[in-house]
Amino acid sequence: AHTISERADVEAVRARASITPQQREEIREGMTRDEVLAKLGKPFSTETRRRRNNVRETLWYSDGQVQFQVILRDDKVVQTGVHSGDTLA
């Protein structure tokens, strides 16, 4: 469990990484990481995995209701998704 202070810190980070549904719609397969960052800003969380000859990175954003993930492989968008609860839409 998080303390009140920790929850406030998490919410503050998410607020800085807040995006609108219109911004989500602008992200397309094939865009570079730099293009995504230029449109959406800094994500509230990232995860990087290295496998054999490629690097997979997931950037996480939020609109306050749902989380939006951008998956990049070798610096290019390969997938996006909206995460609400335990499902990915």
Side-chain angles (χ1 to χ4, degrees):
H2 293 291
T3 66
I4 292 172
S5 176
E6 289 172 329
R7 280 193 297 258
D9 290 344
V10 169
E11 291 307 314
V13 169
R14 285 185 177 167
R16 287 194 300 272
S18 182
I19 61 170
T20 65
Q22 293 79 15
Q23 287 173 298
R24 288 195 321 245
E25 295 296 320
E26 293 178 11
I27 305 305
R28 301 277 182 243
E29 191 173 316
M31 290 176 76
T32 66
R33 183 182 197 280
D34 287 343
E35 290 171 324
V36 172
L37 294 177
K39 289 192 177 289
L40 303 182
K42 185 177 178 181
F44 74 81
S45 181
T46 63
E47 178 183 344
T48 303
R49 292 185 182 173
R50 299 180 195 288
R51 288 191 178 171
R52 294 189 183 146
N53 297 328
N54 66 51
V55 176
R56 176 184 160 148
E57 182 177 24
T58 303
L59 310 177
W60 289 94
Y61 295 89
S62 176
D63 68 1
Q65 299 295 315
V66 297
Q67 293 180 356
F68 177 63
Q69 72 174 22
V70 179
I71 300 173
L72 303 114
R73 183 167 290 125
D74 296 328
D75 200 46
K76 300 272 188 189
V77 175
V78 294
Q79 183 179 356
T80 63
V82 175
H83 184 77
S84 177
D86 293 332
T87 62
L88 185 64

